[in-house]
């Protein structure tokens, strides 16, 4: 994996409006709470099906965050880079979408 592909080493950034950033952070905080709750359920030997249902809920919540970010990315970053003549953004987007759909 190149440095540019690894999220933590990328030098690019995307400024987001405060309202959107706040919404994303709130959603991620809820997902984080769900994950802590799932860990607690495992520690307490809660029935498997109940844990699996909570995992599905957490995945759904995280997918919703991903959809919000993807929509914003397509409407801003991708369009901007295409308008600047950078068609490589399409391949980058396709790779990302493939990862999200796994």
């Amino acid at each position: 994996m190149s440095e540019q592909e690894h999220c933590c080493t990328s030098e690019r950034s995307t400024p987001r409006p405060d309202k959107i950033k706040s919404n994303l952070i709130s959603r991620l905080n809820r997902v984080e709470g769900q994950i802590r709750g799932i860990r607690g359920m495992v520690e307490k030997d809660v029935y498997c099906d109940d844990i699996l249902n909570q995992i599905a809920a957490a995945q759904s919540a995280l997918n919703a965050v991903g959809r919000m970010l993807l929509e914003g990315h397509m409407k801003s970053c991708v369009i901007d880079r295409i308008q600047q003549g950078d068609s490589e953004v399409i391949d980058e987007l396709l790779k990302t979408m493939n990862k999200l759909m796994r």
Side-chain angles (χ1 to χ4, degrees):
M1 181 178 286
S2 73
E3 278 195 46
Q4 201 168 20
E5 290 177 307
H6 192 273
C7 71
C8 300
T9 60
S10 176
E11 298 201 13
R12 295 179 289 186
S13 66
T14 303
R16 292 174 184 84
D18 289 341
K19 184 176 179 180
I20 292 172
K21 186 185 290 189
S22 176
N23 187 354
L24 289 167
I25 290 170
S26 293
R27 288 170 178 264
L28 289 168
N29 285 338
R30 284 194 297 273
V31 171
E32 184 179 12
Q34 286 177 299
I35 300 301
R36 281 194 307 270
I38 292 166
R39 184 185 61 224
M41 292 172 79
V42 170
E43 291 169 349
K44 294 175 186 170
D45 294 324
V46 171
Y47 184 62
C48 298
D49 192 59
D50 294 338
I51 297 171
L52 291 168
N53 283 315
Q54 288 304 309
I55 290 172
Q59 287 173 328
S60 178
L62 197 52
N63 286 341
V65 172
R67 283 190 301 273
M68 288 178 62
L69 283 167
L70 182 60
E71 180 181 346
H73 181 56
M74 292 176 75
K75 288 182 175 180
S76 60
C77 305
V78 173
I79 289 174
D80 290 347
R81 288 177 60 189
I82 289 172
Q83 289 173 342
Q84 294 170 9
D86 181 1
S87 61
E88 289 180 19
V89 70
I90 298 299
D91 290 331
E92 176 188 276
L93 178 62
L94 291 171
K95 284 181 190 176
T96 300
M97 290 180 70
N98 281 327
K99 289 177 186 177
L100 285 170
M101 297 171 100
R102 287 185 190 162

